[in-house]
């Protein structure tokens, strides 16, 4: 297929349909509404269901119903809406319902603003709702990855029977870039789901459920869920490295920040400072093994985030605080410029190479 | 434990999922209405032969263990959310029979909006609403349907309307909506009313089977444990307390007037999907551009002006053309506070390899559509860069002498020679391409159809680009 020059938010919509998604449920909120609007346009055209729910509480429960009924389903929202979904997300984990949730992270806490932030990192990667669990969290940094990770998100959700979160921001969502879309998946190639309630005699014994009254049984259930996620940790970590081999300082950033950091790396290398970049593409599972390896040979790390410092804690844990870990952040929707970060790194490196 | 005598086929013979050692009795208290209602629903499922296709939705409440009993598919769901979950299930499998079995705390309190909205959408589901005027499962707290003066653990002095309002008549409320097909309130107090309950449940299921839409049966049901009365006295309690406030009867029945709902089939044919998603464009080859200066090989461009000057579109068309011409490219609009005050800008980065930062702080090319844009961004342009100026709205010239300038009264020219100022952006685009030779001219023309949705405007934009070539 020809390349499309398209906004990240619309890439999600087309990719979802190509991945065989049959239902979209969502409630409008800036800056995620484009995904709802795109879905309202394209889902009916392909005989699929688009429904504007009465709230995010309803949206996520509609996903629970649809995902439990064995179809690929998605919703998109932004921070305040994702907060409202936490109960349903927890139930989806407990009942092992696959679904895809897109969070176009905006400024918070409270109503905040509609500008890009990365302040929902903790909510996304540490659980977010009640109970012991983790979500699989994918962090795209381009329109192409908005497409690719949407498709990957459905695959992971089905493979592990768990909700997957695509964590992005207003910047990535609004940006237009060329995207190469894959062929649509055929119905036969979708995974079969004998566990789902398909409304047929074969799945009459199917039960979507998160109640385990006996504590010992409940414990076993949680252990089973944890084992599943251990496998995710083993197999599904994704990250990208840029000029890391000879780096004297490694920058760590995801989403739009990683794009800025790429320029920082290039500009500083032109000035003779050896900077590298590690970009987590999965925020959970986090590339902790790789970070631990790198911490053996590099003793300066700079974590850049558009939050009050959330991912930095995972970097500290992964590296056991062995290297010097520096932090640079902007908040409220301010995207740091390459110059600001360059200045920070020049300061860290003592200005000797400047 | 209540024993069910004759078990309907849609009921399991042994409740193998129940943790209780007694696999023949339900978990309900003696005299509880839930067991009776379960039996009626199971009998109706038998009669219609629908158990194989039924998906039972159990939110939290005493009936959350519906999956112990009914031989059909089950989803156990959050408190109050049954109608939303049922919507998700039904929209996924329109042929399945979806039963939302809800208590009064569930339906009228925490899930109040969910039931109203599902009813208002006319979801083709059947709602069995068990009104026992109490929160049974959690030990007898007050429900929205708790009667005035009724004592519960959270209304120990009796429900006081001055503090907690009046009991909600949900059947009447739902019946006010346009979409629902059938809404009735029934009761379990005597044989005659139990018979009516049986019939109402059958009718509600038949409506769903016939694809006629939303139905709700509210059932006044006894909770001896919550009411603190004996099973025998509970019927009298119902008659003396519930029934005077909650009148029985049909509140809405438009079954005869409604046609079966139609559902469109999903499309799986690959070519159709590709076409419907507008992904069926043909790949074309273009000439390798030969820029007039090296810096135009991988330029960063900022387009700035008033909202409404076609600034975003200018950037999009340029980017699309760059992509067609084999380049990597990003486009971002101005956002946040910058969008206010009527100014707009967009930033385009064109590279041979993957673009890093899509933000343009130091443009190679600045297109200033008005004076404030020139004032604000002139200083940022790289030495040797290009500033394109719309002289119609820019009165002062460029003050720097280390940049190239391409200036024309673009708005005036568009207005006078093309009949509308609206195509000033395409005019500038043409001039820019000619001046820099950064892209194949054909790619610019081919970029138009992907982004100009009103196809009758494409010829005029083509004309504007051509005229622009003569200005470059
Ligand atoms: C979010 C949430 N809040 C509260 C509860 C606790 N809870 C469980 S059932 C219930 C009330 C059930 O009453 P009703 O819906 O009337 O059903 P009944 O048991 O009377 O049949 C409550 C408050 C819960 N499970 N989830
Ligand atoms: S508490 Fe009430 S509703 Fe619950 S099982 Fe006992 S009698 Fe039935
Ligand atoms: Mg109740």
């Amino acid at each position: 297929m020809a390349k499309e020059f398209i906004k990240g938010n619309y890439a999600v919509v087309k990719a979802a349909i190509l991945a065989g998604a049959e239902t979209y449920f969502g409630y409008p909120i800036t800056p995620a509404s484009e995904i709802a609007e795109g879905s309202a346009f394209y889902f009916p055209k392909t005989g699929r269901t688009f429904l504007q729910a009465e709230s995010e509480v309803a949206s996520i429960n509609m996903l629970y119903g649809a995902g439990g009924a064995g179809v690929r389903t998605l919703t998109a929202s932004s921070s305040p809406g994702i907060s409202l979904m936490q109960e349903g997300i927890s139930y989806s984990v407990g009942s092992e319902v696959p679904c895809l949730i897109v969070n176009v992270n905006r400024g918070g806490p409270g109503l905040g603003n509609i500008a890009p932030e990365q302040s929902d990192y903790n909510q996304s990667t540490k659980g977010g709702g009640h109970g012991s669990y983790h979500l699989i969290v994918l962090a795209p940094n381009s329109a192409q990855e908005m497409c690719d990770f949407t498709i990957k998100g459905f695959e992971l959700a089905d493979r592990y029977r768990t909700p997957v979160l695509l964590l992005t921001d207003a910047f990535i969502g609004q940006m237009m870039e060329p995207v190469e879309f894959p062929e649509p998946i055929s119905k036969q190639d979708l995974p079969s789901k004998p566990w789902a309630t398909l409304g047929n005699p074969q799945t009459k014994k199917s039960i979507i459920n998160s109640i385990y009254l006996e504590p010992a049984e409940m414990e076993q259930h949680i252990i089973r869920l944890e084992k599943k996620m251990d496998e995710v940790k083993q197999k599904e970590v994704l990250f990208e490295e840029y000029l890391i081999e000879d780096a004297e300082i490694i920058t760590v950033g995801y989403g739009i920040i990683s794009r800025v950091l790429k320029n920082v790396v290039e500009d500083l290398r032109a000035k003779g400072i050896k900077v590298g970049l590690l970009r987590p593409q999965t925020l959970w599972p986090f590339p902790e093994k790789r970070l631990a390896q790198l911490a053996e040979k590099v003793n300066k790390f700079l974590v850049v985030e558009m939050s009050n410092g959330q991912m930095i804690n995972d970097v500290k844990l992964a590296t056991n605080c062995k290297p010097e870990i520096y932090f640079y952040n902007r908040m409220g929707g301010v995207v740091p410029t390459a110059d600001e970060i360059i200045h920070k790194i020049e300061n860290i490196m003592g200005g000797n190479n400047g | 434990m209540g024993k069910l005598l004759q078990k309907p086929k849609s009921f399991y013979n042994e409740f193998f999922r129940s943790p209780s050692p007694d696999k023949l009795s339900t978990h309900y208290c003696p005299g509880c209405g839930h067991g009776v209602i379960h039996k009626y629903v199971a009998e109706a499922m038998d009669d219609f032969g629908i158990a194989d296709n039924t998906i039972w939705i159990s939110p939290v409440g005493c009936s959350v263990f519906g999956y112990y009993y009914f031989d059909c598919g089950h989803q156990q769901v959050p408190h109050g959310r049954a109608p939303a979950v049922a919507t998700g299930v039904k929209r996924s499998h329109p042929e399945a029979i979806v039963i939302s079995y809800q208590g009064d705390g569930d339906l009228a309190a925490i899930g109040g909006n969910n039931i109203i909205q599902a009813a208002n959408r006319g979801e083709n589901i059947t709602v069995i609403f068990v009104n026992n005027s109490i929160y049974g499962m959690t030990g007898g707290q007050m429900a929205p349907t708790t009667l005035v003066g009724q004592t519960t653990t959270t209304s120990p002095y009796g429900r006081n309307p001055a503090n907690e309002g009046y009991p909600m008549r949900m059947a009447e409320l739902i019946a006010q909506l346009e979409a629902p097909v059938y809404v009735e309130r029934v009761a379990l107090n005597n044989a005659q009313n139990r018979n009516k309950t049986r019939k109402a449940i059958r009718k509600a299921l038949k409506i769903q089977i016939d694809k006629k839409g939303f139905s709700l049966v509210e059932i006044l049901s006894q909770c001896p444990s919550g009411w603190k009365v004996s099973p025998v006295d509970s019927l009298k309690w119902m008659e003396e307390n519930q029934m005077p406030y909650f009148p029985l009867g049909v509140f809405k029945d438009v079954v005869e007037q409604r046609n079966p709902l139609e559902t469109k089939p999903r499309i799986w044919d690959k070519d159709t999907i590709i076409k419907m998603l507008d992904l069926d464009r043909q790949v074309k080859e273009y000439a390798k551009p030969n820029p007039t200066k090296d810096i135009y090989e991988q330029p960063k461009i900022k387009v700035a002006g008033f909202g409404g000057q076609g600034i975003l579109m200018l950037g999009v068309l340029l980017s699309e053309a760059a992509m067609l011409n084999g380049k990597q490219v990003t486009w971002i609009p101005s956002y946040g506070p910058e969008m206010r005050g009527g100014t707009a800008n967009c930033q385009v980065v064109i590279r041979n390899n993957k673009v890093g930062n899509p933000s343009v702080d130091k443009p190679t090319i600045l297109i200033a559509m008005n004076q404030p844009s020139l004032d604000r961004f002139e200083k940022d342009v790289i030495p040797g860069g290009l500033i394109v100026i719309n002289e119609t709205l820019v009165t002062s010239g460029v003050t720097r002498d280390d940049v190239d300038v391409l200036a024309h009264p673009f708005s005036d020219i568009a207005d006078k020679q093309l009949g509308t100022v609206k195509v000033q952006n395409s005019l500038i685009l043409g001039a820019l391409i000619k001046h820099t030779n950064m892209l194949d001219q054909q790619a610019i023309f081919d970029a138009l159809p992907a982004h100009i949705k009103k196809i009758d405007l494409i010829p005029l934009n083509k004309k504007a680009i051509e005229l622009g070539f003569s200005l470059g």
Side-chain angles (χ1 to χ4, degrees):
Chain A
M1 273 187 278
K3 273 191 189 171
E4 277 275 293
F5 191 66
I6 189 172
K7 270 192 187 180
N9 281 341
Y10 293 129
V12 168
V13 175
K14 293 191 182 187
I17 293 172
L18 294 172
E22 293 184 48
T23 56
Y24 181 102
F25 304 99
Y27 190 81
I29 182 168
T30 311
S33 292
E34 277 171 343
I35 302 180
E37 289 160 2
S39 298
F41 185 76
Y42 284 115
F43 272 64
K45 278 180 87 179
T46 47
R48 280 144 176 80
T49 300
F50 168 85
L51 185 62
Q52 182 166 323
E54 60 267 29
S55 68
E56 291 83 353
V57 173
S59 318
I60 191 67
N61 280 286
M62 291 173 184
L63 256 69
Y64 182 93
V71 310
R72 286 189 167 171
T73 182
L74 83 154
T75 189
S77 186
S78 183
S79 312
I82 301 290
S83 291
L84 273 187
M85 291 186 193
Q86 293 305 328
E87 179 199 41
I89 292 174
S90 167
Y91 269 74
S92 302
V93 172
S95 302
E96 301 183 86
V97 171
C99 57
L100 183 68
I101 302 145
V102 182
N103 180 3
V104 188
N105 199 159
R106 63 185 247 180
L111 190 55
N113 63 23
I114 59 172
E117 264 202 358
Q118 299 182 320
S119 45
D120 296 349
Y121 179 93
N122 280 348
Q123 184 202 49
S124 310
T125 60
K126 309 297 172 206
H130 61 284
S132 299
Y133 74 90
H134 286 286
L135 296 177
I136 299 176
V137 185
L138 305 174
N141 83 344
S142 63
Q144 183 67 56
E145 282 190 351
M146 290 286 263
C147 161
D148 297 348
F149 286 4
T150 296
I151 295 165
K152 185 164 194 68
F154 281 118
E155 288 166 0
L156 291 172
D158 282 347
R159 191 172 313 142
Y160 295 102
R161 273 190 69 183
T162 193
V164 172
L165 185 77
L166 195 82
L167 181 62
T168 182
D169 61 63
F171 211 116
I172 300 290
Q174 294 288 314
M175 181 166 62
M176 289 180 92
E177 281 186 299
V179 172
E180 224 169 329
F181 288 97
E183 292 271 306
I185 193 167
S186 59
K187 194 158 169 62
Q188 308 84 268
D189 290 339
L190 286 167
S192 77
K193 298 181 179 174
W195 51 265
T197 58
L198 305 179
N200 62 19
Q202 296 78 14
T203 61
K204 221 176 146 179
K205 293 279 179 290
S206 291
I207 165 165
I208 304 298
N209 183 24
S210 61
I211 312 179
Y212 296 85
L213 282 186
E214 296 295 325
E217 247 186 82
M218 184 74 212
E219 187 182 42
Q220 283 311 309
H221 176 60
I222 301 166
I223 289 172
R224 207 170 52 73
L225 296 180
E226 284 288 293
K227 280 215 177 106
K228 229 168 52 170
M229 295 325 261
D230 281 346
E231 191 184 333
V232 172
K233 268 185 166 179
Q234 293 306 317
K235 294 188 182 161
E236 310 296 350
V237 177
L238 281 179
F239 56 88
E240 191 186 51
E241 292 177 351
Y242 187 56
L243 302 181
I244 218 131
E245 277 318 311
D246 61 343
E248 288 161 7
I249 178 165
I250 292 177
T251 59
V252 187
Y254 67 94
I256 184 60
I257 289 292
S258 64
R259 304 282 297 250
V260 180
L261 287 175
K262 192 164 175 238
N263 283 37
V264 168
V265 169
E266 286 171 3
D267 291 359
L268 281 174
R269 282 193 173 253
K271 291 184 180 183
I273 304 182
K274 287 180 181 157
V275 187
L277 164 63
L278 183 118
R279 165 171 83 99
Q281 289 168 299
T282 50
L283 299 179
W284 205 98
F286 196 65
E288 49 196 26
K289 281 193 190 138
R290 182 59 183 154
L291 275 160
Q293 272 173 5
L294 291 171
E296 292 297 322
K297 51 175 204 170
V298 183
N299 77 341
K300 287 188 171 62
F301 282 72
L302 172 67
V303 179
V304 185
E305 288 183 75
M306 295 195 297
S307 75
N308 59 345
Q310 303 188 10
M311 183 177 69
I312 188 173
N313 293 323
D314 285 334
V315 175
K316 285 180 178 169
L317 272 176
T319 59
N320 218 350
C321 291
K322 205 173 159 222
E324 294 162 24
I325 297 172
Y326 298 91
F327 183 57
Y328 189 76
N329 73 327
R330 295 301 303 264
M331 292 180 285
V334 184
V335 182
T337 63
D339 281 350
E340 287 172 62
I341 302 169
I342 286 171
H343 187 69
K344 172 84 182 178
I345 294 177
E346 283 174 341
N347 276 344
I348 295 170
M349 303 309 276
N352 304 333
N353 303 323
Chain B
M1 295 280 165
K3 278 214 197 302
L4 288 160
L5 292 172
Q6 274 177 317
K7 275 195 188 123
K9 281 209 304 291
S10 300
F11 244 58
Y12 286 124
N13 284 327
E14 283 190 25
F15 306 138
F16 64 95
R17 284 180 178 141
S18 165
S20 156
D22 174 3
K23 304 289 184 204
L24 298 174
S25 305
T26 69
H27 72 289
Y28 296 111
C29 311
C32 173
H34 277 299
V36 181
I37 298 167
H38 281 16
K39 184 163 175 264
Y40 295 163
V41 183
E43 282 169 359
M45 284 164 71
D46 281 3
D47 290 353
F48 295 123
I50 54 174
D52 279 358
N53 308 99
T54 296
I55 300 167
W56 187 277
I57 314 292
S58 314
V60 196
C62 279
S63 53
V64 69
F65 301 111
Y67 57 90
Y68 291 173
Y69 310 120
F70 293 89
D71 188 3
C72 64
H74 286 273
Q75 293 204 7
Q76 178 275 311
V77 311
H79 193 23
R81 310 302 166 216
V85 177
T87 299
V89 173
K90 190 72 181 188
R91 298 292 182 119
S92 301
H93 298 297
E95 302 303 320
I97 300 300
V98 181
I99 299 173
S100 181
Y101 187 101
Q102 304 182 250
D104 45 350
D106 191 82
L107 182 140
I110 195 166
N113 193 32
N114 295 121
I115 190 64
I116 288 173
Q117 300 291 338
N120 193 50
R121 288 191 299 266
E123 296 295 339
N124 186 29
I125 60 173
T126 304
V127 178
I128 307 294
F129 170 35
V130 181
N131 177 356
N132 54 16
S133 293
I134 199 120
Y135 284 14
M137 182 180 221
T138 40
Q141 296 85 6
M142 192 192 75
T145 43
T146 290
L147 298 153
V148 171
Q150 183 183 338
T151 56
T152 69
T153 58
T154 51
S155 57
Y157 310 110
R159 181 178 188 151
N160 172 8
N163 195 46
E164 43 257 353
Y166 291 90
M168 293 178 80
R169 296 187 182 100
M170 290 308 290
E172 287 87 331
L173 204 145
I174 301 288
Q176 291 306 306
L177 300 169
E178 195 62 31
V181 177
Y182 166 60
V183 181
E184 179 167 3
R185 183 183 291 115
V186 291
L188 299 179
N189 65 310
N190 61 31
Q192 194 193 354
N193 280 337
R194 282 200 286 274
N195 212 20
K196 278 191 181 163
T197 302
R198 212 183 235 130
K199 280 194 182 139
I201 290 169
R202 282 179 61 96
K203 178 167 174 150
L205 281 173
K206 183 73 169 56
I207 287 168
Q208 185 178 175
I209 293 164
D210 293 343
K211 296 193 161 62
K212 293 273 186 109
F214 184 91
S215 56
L216 180 143
V217 181
E218 175 173 341
I219 304 166
L220 301 183
S221 170
Q222 58 279 37
C223 173
S225 305
W227 297 348
K228 310 266 184 297
V229 295
S230 72
V232 178
D233 290 344
S234 67
L235 299 179
K236 200 162 144 246
W237 194 97
M238 180 187 292
E239 284 165 5
E240 286 172 358
N241 297 280
Q242 273 193 307
M243 291 177 65
Y245 189 85
F246 293 112
L248 306 186
V250 177
F251 297 100
K252 186 157 188 197
D253 182 354
V254 291
V255 182
E256 296 310 321
Q257 290 93 298
R258 291 285 167 89
N259 294 321
L261 302 160
E262 278 175 34
T263 43
K264 276 206 210 146
R266 308 266 192 242
I267 294 171
W268 292 101
D269 176 66
K270 288 191 180 186
D271 291 338
T272 314
I273 292 177
I274 290 169
K275 190 158 181 291
M276 289 298 159
L277 294 183
D278 302 317
L279 294 174
D280 55 344
R281 253 192 315 158
Q282 296 303 312
V283 190
K284 259 201 194 174
E285 291 292 322
Y286 295 92
K288 195 174 172 328
N290 187 13
T292 53
K293 279 188 183 179
D294 284 352
I295 51 165
Y296 300 145
E297 165 96 15
Q298 304 193 70
K300 295 178 181 173
I301 301 137
K302 186 166 243 163
V303 191
F306 295 130
Q309 284 185 305
I311 281 149
L312 300 186
M313 183 57 89
L314 200 169
V316 168
L317 293 174
L318 178 65
S319 306
E320 172 85 26
M323 178 190 77
L324 293 177
N325 221 168
K327 297 281 191 177
Q328 293 290 339
V329 56
T330 56
W331 171 98
I332 52 164
S334 53
Y335 60 87
E338 286 182 38
M339 260 154 67
R340 274 174 234 125
T343 64
N345 77 63
C346 70
Q347 303 163 39
V348 175
V349 180
I350 299 176
R351 300 231 317 193
N352 292 330
N353 300 316
K354 256 186 161 178
V355 181
N357 191 355
S359 296
V360 175
D361 305 325
K362 297 171 196 130
T364 320
I365 300 168
L366 168 67
I367 300 174
M369 304 276 279
N370 62 10
Q371 187 70 47
S373 305
L374 181 66
D375 296 345
R376 190 162 159 210
F377 297 120
E378 179 183 343
K379 61 176 187 331
D380 300 337
V381 178
I382 60 164
L386 170 67
I387 302 183
V388 182
I389 288 182
N390 177 21
E391 282 181 319
T392 309
L393 293 172
V394 178
T395 44
S396 83
V398 172
T399 55
R400 288 171 58 173
D401 55 11
D402 62 343
V403 292
D404 190 9
V405 176
L406 172 63
H408 289 287
F410 290 107
S411 307
D412 280 348
I413 297 172
D415 192 26
K416 296 210 178 89
Q417 299 192 35
L418 297 160
T420 168
V421 69
K422 278 195 177 146
V423 290
Q424 58 187 335
N425 53 357
S426 291
L427 185 69
I428 292 175
L429 188 57
L432 176 71
I433 294 305
K434 187 66 205 282
H435 187 85
T436 59
N437 212 17
M438 58 195 261
L439 297 173
D440 182 6
Q441 295 185 355
Q442 186 56 41
I444 294 288
F445 292 122
D446 291 349
L448 299 176
H451 300 282
I452 297 180
K453 296 290 171 228
K454 285 190 192 145
I455 25 176
D456 40 330
L457 291 179
I458 292 175
L460 185 60
N461 278 280
K462 266 194 171 154
K463 240 175 103 184
I465 290 169
E466 274 161 5
L467 182 61
F469 288 159
S470 70
L471 300 172

